[in-house]
């Protein structure tokens, strides 16, 4: 097997996927069977500068090069050969946000990431004008807010894009986005597309909404500012000599590699969990947490708790996106890991998580966490209208403060805001057969999957390959360039996931009842967030240029490639 993979690498028959996540950049190489065979990673952190979350473009460049170099080193160590080309490649990254460029391609203002929640007035005006929910983090909301704030850079603005779109343009010279990523820039036309295998259904921004937004925002030509929209399987360009040198300054990488459309992490998460067909869905748990449900029919009314985005093929998806995920669980795991170390019995990170999470479902642990209440709000949370979040652990004097209840409260707290958003889908009679979970939290078997099923009141599955993550998902989309005789959903079901082991947890009535009790208490306590933020708010200038770390090495870890 290794000899065959060596030949595949040597002859450029592998596919490359790169994803820029919130705490890590990962490069993943897959063989002809779409099995990961090598990987490279680079850790990075967002910064809180002048009141906004950002990453510098220098950090993007350095991180990509480091991740790619680590991948090359891994290939050389495993197979004794240096990769110089690939049959296909693709780039994925955190969705949404705002990268604004002038006509010369120069960045006008620092990259504004999805975590920024300062676009309230713009999002509200756009939602009213378009009759469509525009979330705070969408690119169009950032653009309109900059216009409302009369920012000087608007006079020089020639185009906006996402992080994946920026990297893809540096590599290929093409200003394009995959439809899933584009759906976080501006709403996509949801009209039915009549297309068969081999004929990808063309998608574009909604023309009527573009006209309405044009009138509201008042820039000369809104459409001209937005990247071209492509669906999965469409030609998105090839690696240019300049792009090859940018990614690999050693000169080892050759130009000419075909690229798939750049996608957002939501799209690659759908691919990685085989959740692109109607009535399927997935939940991603990391720094943020979001759920995606592929719709059978359009939602009759807009809801501020829901984004309507698309799959990489352009099918409508209801998305519940929460800015705050499992970071607080990671924080507690570090505390208990350090305690074990100080006590003279150090534990590996996985063992710390396994010990803590097993306590959350111990028979002595209360289904409602014994009266404890946990908020995981490291940042603002639009779903619950919290502008400036504070992590909190609350309990009444008569609450049962045990280790199991503490951990269960933290897990419930990580899922609570997601459940509030998902309740809207329940009310709209949106049906989902099961949700597939992915993210490092689910490396610990049992408890997280069981408690998520209770929180969402639907069966939760774990695919054997779901842990491979978004870098693998975009590598699969790159390989799909050669398989467009099939619809993407069929390609995933029949080729990529055929024969994979699936573990399903059904909601347990006792857990469901306990979580609902917890969630009622959580909703009532939400005003505490405003009070906590008000009395602890510091002048944002004190944080200028100081990196803000949300490192979660355990949460972001995925399965190592199969040698």
């Amino acid at each position: 097997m290794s000899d065959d993979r060596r030949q595949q690498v040597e002859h450029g028959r592998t596919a490359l996927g790169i994803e820029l996540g919130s705490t890590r950049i990962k490069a993943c190489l897959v063989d002809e069977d779409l099995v990961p065979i090598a990987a490279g990673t680079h850790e990075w952190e967002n910064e809180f500068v002048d009141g906004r979350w950002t990453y510098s473009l220098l950090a993007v460049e350095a991180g990509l090069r480091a991740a790619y170099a680590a991948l090359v080193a891994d290939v050389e160590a495993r197979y004794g050969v240096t990769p110089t080309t690939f049959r296909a490649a693709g780039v994925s990254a955190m969705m949404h946000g705002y990268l604004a460029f002038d006509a010369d391609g120069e960045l006008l203002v620092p990259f504004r990431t999805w975590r920024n929640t300062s676009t309230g007035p713009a999002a509200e005006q756009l939602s009213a004008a378009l009759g469509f929910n525009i979330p705070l983090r969408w690119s169009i909301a950032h653009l309109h807010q900059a216009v409302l704030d009369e920012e000087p850079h608007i006079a020089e603005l020639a185009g906006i894009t996402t992080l994946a779109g920026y990297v893809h343009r540096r590599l290929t010279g093409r200003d394009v986005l995959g439809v899933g990523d584009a759906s976080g820039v501006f709403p996509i036309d949801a009209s039915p597309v009549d297309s068969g295998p081999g004929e990808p259904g063309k998608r574009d921004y909604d023309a009527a909404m573009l006209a309405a937004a044009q009138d509201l925002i008042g820039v000369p030509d809104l459409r001209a500012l937005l990247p071209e929209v492509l669906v999965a399987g469409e030609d998105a360009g090839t690696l240019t000599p300049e792009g090859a040198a940018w990614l690999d300054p050693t000169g080892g990488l050759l130009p000419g590699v075909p690229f798939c459309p750049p996608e957002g992490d939501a799209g690659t998460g759908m691919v990685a969990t085989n959740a692109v067909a109607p009535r399927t869905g997935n939940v991603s748990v990391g720094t943020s947490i979001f759920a995606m449900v592929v719709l059978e029919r359009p939602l009759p009314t807009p809801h501020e708790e829901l984004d309507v985005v698309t799959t990489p093929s352009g099918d409508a998806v209801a998305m519940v996106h929460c800015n705050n995920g499992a970071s607080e669980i990671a924080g507690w795991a570090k505390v208990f890991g350090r305690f074990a170390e100080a006590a003279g019995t150090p534990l590996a990170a996985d063992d710390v998580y396994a010990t803590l999470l097993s306590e959350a479902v111990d028979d002595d642990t209360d289904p409602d966490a014994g009266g404890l209440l946990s908020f995981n709000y490291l940042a603002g949370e639009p779903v619950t209208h919290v502008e400036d979040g504070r992590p909190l652990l609350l309990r009444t004097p008569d609450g049962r403060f045990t280790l199991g209840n503490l951990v269960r409260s933290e897990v419930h707290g990580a899922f609570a805001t997601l459940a509030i958003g998902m309740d809207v889908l329940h009310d709209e009679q949106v049906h989902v057969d099961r949700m597939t979970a992915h993210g490092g939290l689910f490396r610990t078997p049992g408890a997280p999957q069981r408690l998520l099923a209770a929180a969402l009141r639907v069966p939760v599955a774990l695919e054997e390959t779901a842990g491979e993550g978004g870098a693998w998902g975009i590598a699969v989309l790159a390989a799909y360039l050669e398989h467009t005789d099939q619809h993407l959903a069929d390609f995933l079901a029949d080729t990529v996931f055929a024969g994979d082991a699936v573990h399903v947890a059904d909601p347990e009535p006792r857990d469901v009842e306990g979580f609902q009790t917890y969630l009622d208490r959580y909703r009532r306590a939400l005003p505490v967030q405003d009070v906590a933020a008000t009395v602890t708010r510091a002048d944002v200038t004190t944080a200028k240029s100081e990196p803000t770390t949300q490192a979660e090495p355990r949460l972001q870890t995925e399965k190592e490639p199969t040698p």
Side-chain angles (χ1 to χ4, degrees):
M1 180 66 75
S2 292
D3 288 342
D4 180 52
R5 285 175 173 166
R6 183 184 188 279
Q7 293 177 5
Q8 290 184 40
V9 172
E10 195 170 18
H11 296 138
R13 302 203 308 268
T14 57
L16 171 68
I18 300 175
E19 181 158 276
L20 296 92
S22 57
T23 60
R24 186 175 63 164
I25 301 171
K26 180 174 182 179
C28 176
L29 195 66
V30 301
D31 65 10
E32 291 178 317
D33 296 321
L34 304 180
V35 176
I37 62 172
T41 62
H42 171 76
E43 306 292 331
W44 71 337
E45 301 298 339
N46 53 195
E47 294 179 302
F48 194 60
V49 180
D50 293 332
R52 288 191 173 96
W53 297 101
T54 188
Y55 300 83
S56 74
L57 294 191
L58 288 177
V60 172
E61 178 179 309
L64 283 165
R65 289 177 174 178
Y68 181 76
L71 172 81
V72 171
D74 192 28
V75 172
E76 291 172 342
R78 290 175 184 270
Y79 308 109
V81 62
T82 301
T84 60
T85 189
F86 311 98
R87 71 179 191 183
V91 175
S92 173
M94 298 169 280
M95 289 180 68
H96 316 119
Y98 185 69
L99 279 158
F101 296 90
D102 66 15
D104 296 324
E106 295 297 321
L107 188 68
L108 293 170
V109 291
F111 171 37
R112 297 170 184 177
T113 78
W114 57 270
R115 296 194 75 178
N116 292 288
T117 56
S118 59
T119 58
E124 184 177 355
Q125 290 183 17
L126 283 163
S127 298
L130 275 56
F132 186 96
N133 180 45
I134 301 296
L136 301 180
R137 65 190 175 280
W138 277 28
S139 305
I140 191 63
H142 283 279
L143 171 60
H144 184 36
Q145 191 64 52
V147 171
L148 291 177
D149 294 341
E150 299 181 346
E151 295 192 32
H153 81 269
I154 293 298
E156 303 176 68
L157 185 64
I160 67 173
T161 191
T162 65
L163 182 56
Y166 165 73
V167 173
H168 182 90
R169 188 170 65 192
R170 289 298 305 261
L171 295 172
T172 70
R174 293 280 303 275
D175 184 22
V176 300
L177 287 179
V179 64
D181 203 14
S183 67
V185 172
F186 193 87
I188 300 296
D189 188 345
S191 302
V193 174
D194 184 14
S195 63
E199 299 176 348
K202 189 64 180 174
R203 288 292 189 186
D204 205 348
Y205 306 110
D206 188 286
M209 293 189 193
L210 269 175
Q214 173 77 57
D215 291 342
L216 176 67
I217 299 174
V219 291
D221 186 352
L222 177 58
R223 179 64 184 85
L225 298 178
L226 309 181
E228 179 186 356
V229 180
L230 300 177
V231 299
E234 286 195 279
D235 174 19
T238 58
L239 183 65
T240 64
E242 296 80 9
W246 186 68
L247 181 61
D248 182 16
T250 70
L253 178 60
L254 301 176
V257 178
F259 267 71
C260 68
E263 267 299 347
D265 51 359
T268 55
M270 286 185 266
V271 171
T273 54
N274 191 20
V276 301
R279 295 179 68 103
T280 64
N282 76 90
V283 176
S284 173
V285 180
T287 304
S288 63
I289 180 171
F290 56 83
M292 318 275 295
V293 176
V294 185
L295 300 173
E296 296 179 280
R297 55 178 175 78
L299 295 175
T301 56
H303 296 276
E304 61 181 352
E305 298 89 353
L306 303 177
D307 302 16
V308 177
V309 293
T310 78
T311 70
S313 295
D315 295 317
V317 174
M319 178 182 187
V320 179
H321 184 283
C322 308
N323 279 357
N324 301 280
S327 297
E328 195 68 356
I329 297 174
W332 279 104
K334 286 183 178 180
V335 169
F336 283 105
R338 174 57 189 147
F339 174 81
E341 184 180 7
T345 55
L347 295 174
D350 280 357
D351 293 332
V352 174
Y353 276 87
T355 301
L356 292 176
L357 291 169
S358 65
E359 285 288 309
V361 292
D362 185 81
D363 289 343
D364 188 51
T365 298
D366 297 300
D368 70 339
L372 276 65
L373 187 62
S374 300
F375 285 96
N376 63 338
Y377 289 0
L378 286 159
E381 191 54 75
V383 172
T384 50
H385 309 287
V386 172
E387 183 176 345
D388 191 8
R390 294 293 184 272
L392 295 173
L393 173 65
L394 305 176
R395 61 189 180 99
T396 57
D398 59 346
R400 218 165 67 86
F401 191 40
T402 66
L403 177 60
N405 283 337
L406 169 63
V407 181
R408 192 170 184 119
S409 175
E410 291 297 333
V411 176
H412 280 348
F415 297 154
T417 309
L418 183 69
I420 290 171
M422 288 293 290
D423 279 346
V424 178
L425 288 179
H426 285 290
D427 294 341
E428 287 285 5
Q429 302 299 308
V430 172
H431 299 291
V432 57
D433 295 328
R434 73 182 186 195
M435 301 290 284
T436 301
H438 59 117
L441 186 65
F442 298 100
R443 285 176 59 196
T444 301
Q449 184 183 8
R450 170 181 156 183
L451 295 179
L452 181 60
L456 302 186
R457 292 173 286 167
V458 297
V460 171
L462 290 180
E463 292 269 7
E464 192 174 66
T465 52
E468 303 295 356
W472 177 71
I474 193 66
V476 169
L477 285 173
Y480 179 62
L481 287 171
E482 299 178 354
H483 295 272
T484 53
D485 58 323
Q486 296 177 278
H487 287 303
L488 178 60
D490 295 332
F491 171 66
L492 294 178
D494 300 339
T495 302
V496 180
F497 289 90
D500 270 10
V502 180
H503 310 281
V504 180
D506 292 312
E508 297 184 12
R510 182 172 179 267
D511 289 336
V512 171
E513 183 179 355
F515 180 81
Q516 288 303 311
T517 300
Y518 180 95
L519 190 61
D520 290 342
R521 188 164 64 243
Y522 187 95
R523 290 177 188 268
R524 291 195 302 271
L526 275 168
V528 173
Q529 280 291 312
D530 288 338
V531 176
T534 298
V535 299
T536 60
R537 188 171 289 123
D539 188 342
V540 295
T541 59
T542 63
K544 184 176 180 179
S545 300
E546 294 180 4
T548 299
T549 301
Q550 304 295 343
E552 302 169 281
R554 167 53 165 69
L555 290 173
Q556 298 298 322
T557 300
E558 295 151 0
K559 294 193 294 185
E560 290 300 313
T562 305

